[in-house]
Amino acid sequence: MVVTTSVRARPPREKMVSRLPVTGVEVVRDTIRYSGVSTPISEREGLGIRGLVPAAFLPLELDVERCMLQMRSKESPLEKYIYLHNIQDVSERLFYAILCKNTSEVMPLVYTPTVGEACQNFSAIYRGTLRGMYFSLEDSGKIRTLLDNWFTSKITTIVVTDGERILGLGDLGVNGMGIPIGKLALYTACGGIDPAKVLPVHIDVGTNNEENLNDPYYLGLRRPRERGQAYDDLIAEFFEAAQNKFGANVMIQFEDFGNLNAFRLLSAWQDKACTFNDDIQGTAAVALAGLLASNRLTGKDLIDHIFLFAGAGEAGTGIAELLALAIAEKGHLPIEQARKKIFLVDSKGLVTKSRLDSLQHHKVDFAHDVDDCPNLLAAIDMLKPTGLIGVSAIPNSFTKEICENMAAHNKIPVIFALSNPTSKAECTAQEAYEWTDGRAIFCSGSPFDPVTLQDGRQRVPGQGNNAYIFPGIGLGVLAAGSTRITNYDMLLAAETLAAEVGPEELDVGCMYPPLSRIRQVSKNIAIAVANQAHETGVATEQRPVDMGKYVESLMYDPFEEVDVHLGSKK
C-alpha cells in the first residue's frame, strides 16, 4: 500500500504481480499487497477499505513492533510459528516487514529449527490457506490443467518436495509441505524474490510413515510410497507442465527428496531445466563457505586438509563433491586426486574400496584404498583429519572422546555439526568448545547461542544456514534469466559468501556474516551468479550496464511504496 506520495529514485523494473482488486473486500483479500492498518487514511476510501479496518493509522514500522510484542508473548516456538503465518495469511507485506526487520530472531521460527516441529504437526495446524499447490498420483495427466488454477502465470521460483526426507525427521509425506513454504519465505525475505512470484509444491506419492497412515487427520494420500515408473512419470509431468506454464527458465528447486531419488532426479533434470537440489548443492555451498572462511584462522589452504564426513547421504556427498571441486580448482588438480583428501563414514563404517560392490552410487567416488574402520572414532584415529563434518542426523554422535581426539591431532580443529533440526545435531556448541579447550572452529546447521569459556573468551558458533546461499542463487538466476544452474554457480556462491566474513566475526570464531546482513550477502551472490551466467552463455536476459543496480531493482522490499491498483512500486 502507499505510505507516502514520495517517489524513491530506483532503476525501472518489471511490474509486480497482483491480483487486481475491484472491491474493498478484494483489496483486503489480496494478501500479497494488503497493508491493513498501515494503509494511510487518505488512501482507504479510494481503495474501498474504509470501514473494513480500524480507524487508526499505524506506520508499517510501528505495526511490526506491535506484532513482535505479541509474538514474543507466545510460550512456545510452534505458537510463534503459527502466529507469524496467521499474519502472512492476511498481509504478506507485514509478514515480510517483520522478517526483514528482525531476521536473526524470526528466521529460526519461520524455518529451522521450528519448521521441523511445524511439519510434524502440519495436518493438525493446517488452516486451509492458499499457500502452494498439491499434486498427487491421482492427478496424473492433469497437472498442466491444474496449474491454471493458480492466480498468476508469472511464477519465477518454485520449491518442490515429495516429503520423503524432511530435515532429519524422515518421511513426513504431505506434512513436509512446511519446508517449501518456509524456504520460499526466505527467498523473499533474504533474497528479495517477489512473494507473488513464488510457488511451493508438494508431489504426493504416498508415505511409508505408519504414524501418518494411521492418523485420521492426515491430509495426504493414504497409501505406501510409490517406487515405480508412475513416480518418475509424475515428476516428469510436473517439470514439463511448470516449464510450459511459467516458461523454460522458471527455477525449480528440489527439496528434501530421499536418497533413492534425489541424486538421480537431479542428474536427470539439471540439463533439461533451471534446477538444483538444495540439500545436495545448497548445503554444499554453505558448508564450503564456512570451510573457506576457516582457512583464515587455521592458516591452511583446502588442499592442506584431510576432511572426514560423518554421514554419506545427499548432504554429505553433496558437500564432499563441491569441496573436491574447490580443491581441484584452487590446487589445479584432477578431480580424482582432489577427492583423495576427503573420506566418508556411513552406518557401516569408513567408505573404502573393499566395500565397492555394496556401495550406493553417490558414495563410489569417495571409496579410497585404505584400511577398513568400523566406526567414526576408529577412522579419526587412523586418518587424523583436520576437519570433521557431521551430516548424519545422529544426535550426540560427536562424543567427548571424538572431539578430544580432534583437538589432540590439531591445534585448531574444524568441527561442523550440520544436521537439522537442533535435536539431530551431532554435538552442541558448548560441548565442542569445552571438549577442545576452546580451540575448535565450530559451525552448526541450526542456531546455537554464543558460548563464554571459563577464561572469559567468547565464541560465537556460525550457523551454516542454506539461507545464506539459495536466495542469492535464485535472485541471480532471475536477474540473468538463466536456463541452467551448475556446481560452478555453487562454488562461486560459496566463495562470495566466505568473502563476506569480516574480522569481527573471525575474532569470535564465527565463520558466517551476521543474519542482519543477509540481504546484502544475497545481492552480492546474485551479482556474481548473474555475471557468470552471461559469461557462460546460459543467460537469456540482456546484460545490464550496472549489474548491481539491476539486481537491486529486482529485490522486493516490504518497506517500499507499492500502488495496490497497479501492483508496482510508485
Side-chain angles (χ1 to χ4, degrees):
M1 303 308 176
V2 181
V3 177
T4 70
T5 57
S6 62
V7 178
R8 179 178 296 195
R10 293 287 296 273
R13 56 161 292 168
E14 177 189 353
K15 288 183 178 180
M16 287 180 164
V17 175
S18 182
R19 302 163 215 164
L20 297 179
V22 177
T23 68
V25 170
E26 288 179 282
V27 170
V28 173
R29 289 175 177 170
D30 180 8
T31 62
I32 298 290
R33 307 298 171 215
Y34 181 56
S35 292
V37 293
S38 294
T39 308
I41 294 172
S42 61
E43 301 285 337
R44 295 181 185 182
E45 191 158 351
L47 292 172
I49 64 170
R50 188 166 182 172
L52 301 180
V53 293
F57 165 71
L58 268 62
L60 186 57
E61 292 83 354
L62 190 60
D63 207 13
V64 168
E65 292 179 14
R66 177 184 69 87
C67 293
M68 288 298 293
L69 285 173
Q70 283 298 306
M71 187 205 76
R72 290 168 182 149
S73 72
K74 307 299 179 184
E75 292 187 1
S76 71
L78 184 60
E79 288 177 317
K80 294 177 180 180
Y81 174 95
I82 293 171
Y83 174 75
L84 289 167
H85 282 283
N86 282 339
I87 291 174
Q88 187 182 18
D89 293 343
V90 175
S91 172
E92 301 236 4
R93 188 181 183 209
L94 176 57
F95 173 80
Y96 286 113
I98 292 169
L99 189 48
C100 289
K101 191 77 172 179
N102 304 274
T103 306
S104 298
E105 182 177 356
V106 177
M107 186 187 291
L109 301 170
V110 171
Y111 201 61
T112 182
T114 308
V115 73
E117 185 181 2
C119 284
Q120 290 174 308
N121 292 277
F122 183 85
S123 288
I125 65 176
Y126 176 74
R127 301 175 302 281
T129 306
L130 177 61
R131 191 156 309 287
M133 298 195 75
Y134 301 80
F135 304 115
S136 77
L137 290 166
E138 296 175 356
D139 298 318
S140 178
K142 303 175 183 176
I143 291 181
R144 177 60 186 85
T145 300
L146 295 180
L147 282 173
D148 286 336
N149 290 336
W150 196 246
F151 73 90
T152 178
S153 62
K154 295 184 178 180
I155 295 297
T156 64
T157 311
I158 295 172
V159 176
V160 59
T161 188
D162 70 354
E164 184 172 9
R165 194 203 64 86
I166 298 299
L167 301 175
L169 302 172
D171 184 352
L172 297 187
V174 76
N175 290 347
M177 183 59 155
I179 297 294
I181 291 171
K183 273 280 168 74
L184 286 167
L186 299 188
Y187 267 107
T188 296
C190 303
I193 304 297
D194 186 343
K197 297 182 181 180
V198 305
L199 180 63
V201 172
H202 179 260
I203 304 290
D204 195 339
V205 293
T207 179
N208 292 334
N209 185 318
E210 290 297 326
E211 184 177 345
N212 285 346
L213 292 174
N214 293 326
D215 179 0
Y217 304 116
Y218 176 64
L219 298 177
L221 284 183
R222 295 180 181 278
R223 52 152 291 171
R225 183 169 286 275
E226 173 62 44
R227 296 295 189 193
Q229 187 61 43
Y231 176 93
D232 285 358
D233 290 345
L234 191 63
I235 297 294
E237 183 184 350
F238 166 70
F239 264 78
E240 291 164 3
Q243 288 178 313
N244 179 269
K245 171 74 173 179
F246 305 121
N249 57 357
V250 61
M251 193 189 81
I252 304 174
Q253 177 194 308
F254 285 108
E255 182 67 28
D256 284 351
F257 283 71
N259 289 342
L260 186 65
N261 294 313
F263 292 96
R264 66 183 192 84
L265 289 177
L266 178 61
S267 177
W269 287 98
Q270 61 186 352
D271 292 328
K272 300 177 184 176
C274 182
T275 189
F276 74 103
N277 184 305
D278 190 53
D279 306 294
I280 298 172
Q281 297 165 287
T283 300
V286 77
L288 175 59
L291 294 173
L292 289 169
S294 74
N295 290 343
R296 292 155 66 184
L297 293 182
T298 64
K300 298 176 182 286
D301 292 326
L302 290 180
I303 197 170
D304 299 322
H305 284 276
I306 295 294
F307 295 99
L308 179 62
F309 285 71
E314 54 194 277
T317 53
I319 299 169
E321 193 59 44
L322 189 63
L323 177 56
L325 178 62
I327 294 171
E329 290 289 310
K330 292 179 180 297
H332 306 288
L333 301 173
I335 190 72
E336 295 79 11
Q337 188 174 344
R339 291 187 183 115
K340 292 180 180 179
K341 309 289 291 184
I342 302 167
F343 296 83
L344 311 179
V345 171
D346 63 12
S347 61
K348 296 180 174 60
L350 188 64
V351 173
T352 64
K353 276 195 173 181
S354 66
R355 296 176 51 198
L356 273 178
D357 290 345
S358 62
L359 288 176
Q360 293 171 289
H361 180 265
H362 59 274
K363 304 178 186 180
V364 169
D365 286 338
F366 296 95
H368 302 311
D369 191 10
V370 295
D371 293 339
D372 290 328
C373 293
N375 53 47
L376 181 61
L377 182 59
I380 292 173
D381 286 337
M382 183 179 76
L383 298 170
K384 296 180 173 52
T386 54
L388 177 63
I389 301 170
V391 280
S392 64
I394 301 175
N396 308 312
S397 55
F398 287 180
T399 62
K400 182 179 181 182
E401 186 175 12
I402 282 174
C403 291
E404 288 177 341
N405 271 22
M406 287 295 297
H409 299 318
N410 300 282
K411 182 179 179 181
I412 304 178
V414 176
I415 300 175
F416 284 15
L418 299 180
S419 292
N420 282 319
T422 308
S423 62
K424 299 293 183 179
E426 286 78 10
C427 69
T428 68
Q430 184 86 37
E431 291 168 341
Y433 293 131
E434 286 185 355
W435 294 339
T436 63
D437 299 320
R439 291 185 281 122
I441 295 174
F442 178 82
C443 292
S444 59
S446 290
F448 283 100
D449 291 332
V451 174
T452 301
L453 304 175
Q454 289 185 346
D455 60 8
R457 287 178 296 156
Q458 187 176 61
R459 288 289 176 264
V460 178
Q463 185 194 359
N465 194 321
N466 289 23
Y468 281 116
I469 294 293
F470 65 79
I473 293 286
L475 182 59
V477 164
L478 176 64
S482 300
T483 58
R484 299 292 181 269
I485 302 171
T486 72
N487 269 343
Y488 286 96
D489 294 310
M490 298 297 166
L491 177 56
L492 181 59
E495 293 170 343
T496 304
L497 174 57
E500 294 287 331
V501 180
E504 59 275 21
E505 286 83 52
L506 294 175
D507 285 346
V508 291
C510 186
M511 297 301 104
Y512 297 98
L515 287 174
S516 59
R517 292 187 53 240
I518 197 165
R519 281 176 72 94
Q520 182 63 43
V521 170
S522 295
K523 175 186 169 183
N524 291 342
I525 289 174
I527 292 168
V529 168
N531 280 327
Q532 181 160 273
H534 283 282
E535 291 159 9
T536 57
V538 299
T540 60
E541 296 285 344
Q542 183 177 350
R543 191 168 191 169
V545 174
D546 188 327
M547 183 63 78
K549 287 185 178 179
Y550 179 66
V551 166
E552 186 177 351
S553 76
L554 295 174
M555 296 178 72
Y556 167 86
D557 184 344
F559 291 99
E560 287 184 336
E561 303 167 34
V562 174
D563 187 325
V564 73
H565 291 298
L566 298 178
S568 62
K569 294 181 183 179
K570 289 199 79 180

